[in-house]
Every structure is written in structure tokens, then in C-alpha cells.
Amino acid sequence: MTRICNFFKYNVEQIEKMYQSEAVSTKELLQWSKLLEYDFFRLFTQHLILYYPRNAPKKTKKSTLSLPNFRKNIYTKEIVDYILELINSGEMTKQQITDQYKIPKSTLHRWIEKYK
């Protein structure tokens, strides 16, 4: 706890309050990532890749403000391993994975062949 307090320059009460909070700032999350040597931001980006809708609304010419369009076809090794583990363990079928995560069947079959 002393190491954590020194790293954050917080007292014990502030650290305990952070433990109990439902959300942390990105600055604090970055500090936790550095302290624990783990990329917590990767969890969020992988979530975006898996759950980003395939049929996202197209940009209209009238709209100048729009959300960024994330590339859906970039899957990290961790995501591929997770999906293949779901199939190999029998937790989900190929069809369930295609339906839930919107991964194209051709991509899924390519992974299965490549990582046998």
C-alpha cells in the first residue's frame, strides 16, 4: 500500500476510495497500467472490436460531426485465441459466435484452419 500511495501521491483513504469507486479517470487508469505493468486500455479496445456494430450508420454529407468509424476487421491474437477457445471447449458454436460477435464466417473458418 505504501508503494501505491507513493506512486500515485495519494494517501491511503484516497486509494481505498479509488478501489471502491465504479469508475476511474483515464489518468488514473494509465497510472495503474504503469504501476502493474498491464495494459488496461487493451481491454477496452478489444471490447470495441468485438462489439462494434457491423452495419454502422454511414456518414451523411450534411453531418459534420460524427463518431469515429473503428476498423472492424482488426482482431488481436488474444481475441482470436478467445474465440477459438469458445469453439474448442464447446461453449459456443460457430453460428453463435457469428451471430453474437458479428465475425464473418469466412474469417472464422480462416482462423480455424490457420490455428489448428
Side-chain angles (χ1 to χ4, degrees), residues 27-67:
K27 178 184 174 188
E28 290 170 338
L29 187 61
L30 179 61
Q31 287 178 304
W32 279 111
S33 293
K34 289 178 181 177
L35 179 68
L36 300 175
E37 298 178 5
Y38 182 80
D39 185 6
F40 289 104
F41 291 96
R42 182 175 294 191
L43 296 173
F44 295 110
T45 56
Q46 289 179 350
H47 178 82
L48 288 173
I49 290 169
L50 279 177
Y51 292 101
Y52 185 76
R54 288 186 55 82
N55 298 324
K58 303 289 183 199
K59 290 183 183 179
T60 60
K61 292 180 181 178
K62 294 178 183 178
S63 175
T64 56
L65 280 177
S66 65
L67 295 174

Side-chain angles (χ1 to χ4, degrees), residues 47-100:
H47 178 82
L48 288 173
I49 290 169
L50 279 177
Y51 292 101
Y52 185 76
R54 288 186 55 82
N55 298 324
K58 303 289 183 199
K59 290 183 183 179
T60 60
K61 292 180 181 178
K62 294 178 183 178
S63 175
T64 56
L65 280 177
S66 65
L67 295 174
N69 187 7
F70 295 102
R71 293 174 58 188
K72 304 178 285 276
N73 60 345
I74 298 178
Y75 300 100
T76 63
K77 179 72 171 122
E78 290 86 1
I79 290 175
V80 173
D81 290 343
Y82 171 73
I83 296 296
L84 293 177
E85 179 60 32
L86 289 176
I87 293 171
N88 293 334
S89 68
E91 284 184 55
M92 294 180 83
T93 65
K94 295 174 193 174
Q95 186 61 47
Q96 288 172 324
I97 288 173
T98 313
D99 293 341
Q100 183 173 346

